[in-house]
């Protein structure tokens, strides 16, 4: 997928194409030729110029070229949002934008005016409403703003959503229209479950993959957001959610087969051990990865699931602790052990601060004896 700069909207493509002799090729073939031709193009401006020129060659060329222009659109400048809306509201587009992916990543000055922030958020919402063919939507800095009075399409093709710093109350009017959403990523977002329950229809999507980082998750918020996905989520990734992991697992724990926990520790509530107690009841769990310095392996002894893969970051004494688990016969169903080594480090650094490097060889031997594949990633 070609990443398109938001500068493309500075040029109108809505004028009538110039009719001239051109090869009579199917639109699919033209699209394939254009996409492959740009894989080796180094100048982004050249790509845009060629596509704009193709829009003017003939009606047959205009469709495939326009499709590529609007395939994936990052928008960062307020002016670009205004120009894009003006373009899609022109007679040529009829109020509908053919974009397949939208990425709202605002670049504000150090101290932006509140009216500029509000205008960006409002325009972003209006643009999304004009894009019924969306496959993927990203909103940074909480600047996705929708209202119940907007006329939303059903978005039958939108399967991926990623938000950062998002007030879920402003996102809520959109969610019931994402009937086929499969992947949802949420970073540093927040919401009042009572407000959402009272004012908005809950989502009906059935997620298969969910990623939540640094987000407060009350029981009410978890239920409102994810009750419809309680039997469909297979992959769950959480980072720095602490004790909030419990209500999340209670809502959708029955279907989770892959779980990645990163930086979950809250020393004041000892959420490390509490979180492990919560996941111990995930009978369907097959792949588990835990990252972080403070994770205690003894909490894994009571896992009710039959793991196929266990992954961890080999910090300090962690390798020795996992070695002890494996020797005890823990998880007889285990097929692979994955060591996620930090960049620029190597397997030789496993034992840093944990004693003799002989543990490295012993872990390798233990895995071999149990028929477990040891992978350094």
């Amino acid at each position: 997928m070609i990443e398109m700069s938001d500068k493309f909207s500075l040029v109108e493509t809505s004028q009538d194409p110039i009719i001239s002799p051109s090869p009579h090729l199917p639109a699919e073939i033209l699209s394939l030729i254009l996409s492959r031709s740009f894989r080796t193009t180094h100048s982004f401006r050249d790509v845009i110029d060629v596509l704009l020129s193709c829009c003017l060659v003939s009606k047959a060329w205009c469709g495939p070229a326009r499709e590529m222009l609007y395939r994936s659109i990052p928008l960062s400048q307020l002016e670009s949002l205004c120009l894009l809306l003006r373009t899609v509201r022109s007679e040529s587009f009829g109020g509908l934008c053919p974009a397949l992916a939208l990425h709202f990543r605002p670049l504000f000055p150090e101290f932006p005016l509140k009216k500029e922030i509000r205008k960006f958020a409002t325009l972003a919402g209006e643009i999304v409403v004009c894009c019924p063919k969306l496959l993927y939507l990203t909103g940074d800095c909480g600047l996705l703003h929708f209202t119940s009075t907007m006329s939303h399409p059903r978005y039958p093709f939108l399967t991926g959503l990623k938000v950062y710093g998002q007030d879920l109350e402003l996102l809520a009017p959109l969610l019931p229209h994402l009937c086929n959403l499969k992947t949802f990523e949420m970073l540093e977002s927040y919401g009042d479950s009572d407000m959402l329950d009272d004012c908005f229809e809950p989502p009906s999507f059935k997620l298969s993959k969910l990623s939540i980082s640094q987000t407060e998750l009350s029981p009410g918020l978890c239920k409102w957001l994810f009750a419809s996905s309680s039997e469909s989520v297979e992959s769950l990734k959480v980072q720095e959610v602490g004790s909030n992991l419990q209500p999340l697992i209670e809502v959708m724990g029955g279907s989770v087969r892959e779980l990645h926990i990163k930086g979950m520790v809250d020393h004041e509530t000892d959420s490390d051990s509490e979180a492990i107690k919560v996941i111990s009841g995930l009978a369907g769990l097959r792949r588990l990865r835990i990252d972080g310095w403070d994770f205690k392996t003894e909490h894994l002894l009571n896992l009710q699931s039959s793991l196929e893969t266990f992954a961890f970051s080999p910090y300090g004494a962690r390798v020795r602790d996992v070695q002890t688990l494996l020797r005890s016969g823990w998880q007889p169903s285990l097929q692979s052990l994955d060591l996620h080594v930090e960049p620029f480090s190597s397997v030789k650094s496993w034992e840093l601060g944990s004693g003799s490097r002989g543990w490295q060889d012993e872990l390798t031997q233990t895995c071999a004896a149990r028929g477990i594949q040891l992978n350094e990633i």
Side-chain angles (χ1 to χ4, degrees), residues 155-166:
Y155 302 103
F157 311 110
L158 203 157
T159 58
L161 174 64
K162 182 177 181 180
V163 296
Y164 166 67
Q166 181 67 46

Side-chain angles (χ1 to χ4, degrees), residues 69-89:
L69 274 172
Y70 289 84
R71 182 172 294 179
S72 181
I73 310 174
L75 293 160
S76 59
Q77 303 291 342
L78 185 58
E79 180 185 14
S80 298
L81 273 70
C82 295
L83 291 173
L84 177 58
L85 272 175
R86 188 183 72 182
T87 299
V88 301
R89 287 171 176 170

Side-chain angles (χ1 to χ4, degrees), residues 29-132:
I29 301 298
L30 285 172
S31 296
L32 186 61
I33 293 173
L34 290 173
S35 61
R36 290 192 173 183
S37 298
F38 296 141
R39 289 178 184 175
T40 57
T41 302
H42 299 289
S43 171
F44 172 79
R45 188 66 253 178
D46 288 345
V47 173
I48 299 300
D49 289 342
V50 170
L51 289 174
L52 290 172
S53 297
C54 289
C55 287
L56 304 177
V57 170
S58 70
K59 290 182 178 180
W61 283 57
C62 184
R66 178 185 286 180
E67 178 185 344
M68 291 196 63
L69 274 172
Y70 289 84
R71 182 172 294 179
S72 181
I73 310 174
L75 293 160
S76 59
Q77 303 291 342
L78 185 58
E79 180 185 14
S80 298
L81 273 70
C82 295
L83 291 173
L84 177 58
L85 272 175
R86 188 183 72 182
T87 299
V88 301
R89 287 171 176 170
S90 66
E91 182 178 350
S92 177
F93 285 84
L96 296 178
C97 178
L100 301 182
L102 291 174
H103 309 275
F104 294 98
R105 297 169 178 149
L107 295 177
F108 292 125
E110 186 175 357
F111 301 102
L113 298 175
K114 288 185 178 180
K115 65 178 183 180
E116 293 181 342
I117 298 176
R118 286 196 299 268
K119 186 174 181 180
F120 191 106
T122 300
L123 293 177
E126 292 179 9
I127 290 173
V128 173
V129 170
C130 295
C131 301

Side-chain angles (χ1 to χ4, degrees), residues 186-256:
M186 187 187 309
L187 173 65
E188 294 184 16
S189 298
Y190 53 94
D192 184 335
S193 59
D194 292 333
M195 176 67 72
L196 293 172
D197 273 332
D198 293 339
C199 301
F200 303 103
E201 177 188 352
S204 60
F205 45 61
K206 298 186 183 302
L207 301 173
S208 60
K209 188 174 183 179
L210 175 62
S211 177
I212 300 179
S213 179
Q214 300 172 307
T215 297
E216 290 293 328
L217 295 166
S218 67
L221 182 57
C222 288
K223 183 177 180 180
W224 188 88
L225 277 171
F226 307 122
S228 62
S229 302
S230 61
E231 298 181 358
S232 62
V233 172
E234 295 187 357
S235 176
L236 175 62
K237 179 179 179 181
V238 292
Q239 178 176 358
E240 297 181 35
V241 298
S243 58
N244 294 303
L245 178 61
Q246 182 170 351
L248 185 63
I249 291 295
E250 289 175 350
V251 170
M252 63 181 59
S255 61
V256 175

